[in-house]
């Protein structure tokens, strides 16, 4: 099973939304193959999900029930194939705790930006989740955004409903790329099993 960790600051708004929506969409294309969790660089343990995020999760087909915030620690980071953060400062916090994750830690939008060309070039294959650090390294500079902040999804907690909707839109765009990668890799694995049977 491929383990994915989503990281933001408080682990009550952005990362819970991404966690629960991404898990639901991955379960739809690759049942039982992914485990998505989340944590926060300044999370208060067991805090509830932000109500707007819980409502948005439901609208997006996920399940917000039973969520409890988790503080980010080195132990929480262990054994994850991929760590996706909502902002660059969260990525830096992850790497302070676990430098070994350098090639497997991205902001959510950065990962989508790097993976999109791989989908177009049909380079998402059976071993994608093991191989993606090498694959995305090739496109890291070529696809760099004009503004580094374009790789971030800012915190809408103190904003209004429109700010929260914008967060969800940006997250959903990136989630769609991740799910497309999972679907393509799973199809390749299924084909390989059929041929080998």
């Amino acid at each position: 099973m491929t383990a994915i960790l989503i990281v933001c600051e408080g682990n009550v708004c952005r990362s819970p939304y991404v966690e629960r929506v991404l898990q639901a969409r991955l379960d739809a294309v690759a049942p039982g193959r992914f485990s998505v969790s989340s944590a926060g660089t300044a999370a208060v343990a067991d805090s509830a999900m932000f109500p707007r995020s819980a409502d948005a999760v439901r609208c997006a087909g996920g399940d917000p029930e039973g969520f409890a915030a988790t503080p980010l620690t080195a132990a929480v980071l262990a054994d994850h194939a991929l760590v996706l953060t909502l902002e660059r400062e969260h990525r830096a916090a992850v790497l302070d705790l676990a430098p070994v994750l350098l090639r497997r830690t991205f902001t959510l939008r950065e990962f989508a930006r790097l993976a999109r060309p791989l989908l177009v070039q049909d380079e998402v294959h059976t071993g994608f989740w093991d191989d993606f650090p090498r694959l995305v390294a090739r496109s890291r500079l070529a696809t760099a955004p004009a503004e580094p902040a374009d790789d971030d999804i800012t915190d809408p907690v103190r904003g209004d409903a429109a700010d929260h909707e914008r967060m969800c839109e940006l997250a959903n765009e990136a989630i769609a790329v991740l799910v497309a990668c999972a679907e393509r890799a799973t199809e390749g694995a299924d084909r390989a099993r059929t041929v080998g049977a």
Side-chain angles (χ1 to χ4, degrees), residues 9-13 15-16 19 38-40 42-49 66-72:
E9 184 177 355
N11 194 212
V12 293
C13 179
S15 54
E19 173 198 333
S38 65
V44 176
D46 300 325
S47 295
M49 193 184 303
F67 178 83
T70 301
L72 183 70

Side-chain angles (χ1 to χ4, degrees), residues 74-195:
V76 167
L77 286 165
D79 301 321
H80 283 90
L82 179 62
V83 180
L84 298 172
T85 71
L86 275 294
E87 294 184 53
R88 288 162 294 146
E89 67 182 60
H90 308 139
R91 184 181 61 200
V94 167
L95 296 176
D96 282 346
L97 288 169
V100 71
L101 289 172
L102 175 64
R103 298 179 71 226
R104 294 184 172 272
T105 302
F106 307 84
T107 73
L108 179 65
R109 294 190 76 196
E110 177 189 22
F111 182 86
R113 171 172 59 77
L114 294 168
R116 215 174 267 118
L118 301 177
L119 285 165
V120 172
Q121 296 157 16
D122 201 25
E123 292 192 58
V124 178
H125 48 74
T126 306
F128 177 71
W129 300 106
D130 294 323
D131 211 22
F132 76 82
R134 179 185 63 80
L135 293 169
V136 300
R138 297 191 319 229
S139 57
R140 208 158 202 163
L141 290 176
T143 64
E147 293 294 331
D150 288 345
D151 276 342
D152 295 342
I153 299 178
T154 56
D155 193 351
V157 163
R158 292 175 184 82
D160 58 18
D163 294 322
H164 196 274
E165 286 171 14
R166 178 63 176 155
M167 179 276 288
C168 293
E169 287 171 9
L170 293 174
N172 288 339
E173 289 172 7
I175 287 169
V177 175
L178 240 146
V179 172
C181 288
E183 187 169 25
R184 190 83 60 85
T186 300
E187 287 170 356
D190 290 345
R191 274 197 305 273
R193 269 196 298 275
T194 302
V195 170

Side-chain angles (χ1 to χ4, degrees), residues 14 34 42-43 47 50 55 72 114 188:
R14 292 170 289 176
F34 292 87
S47 295
F50 186 53
D55 291 342
L72 183 70
L114 294 168

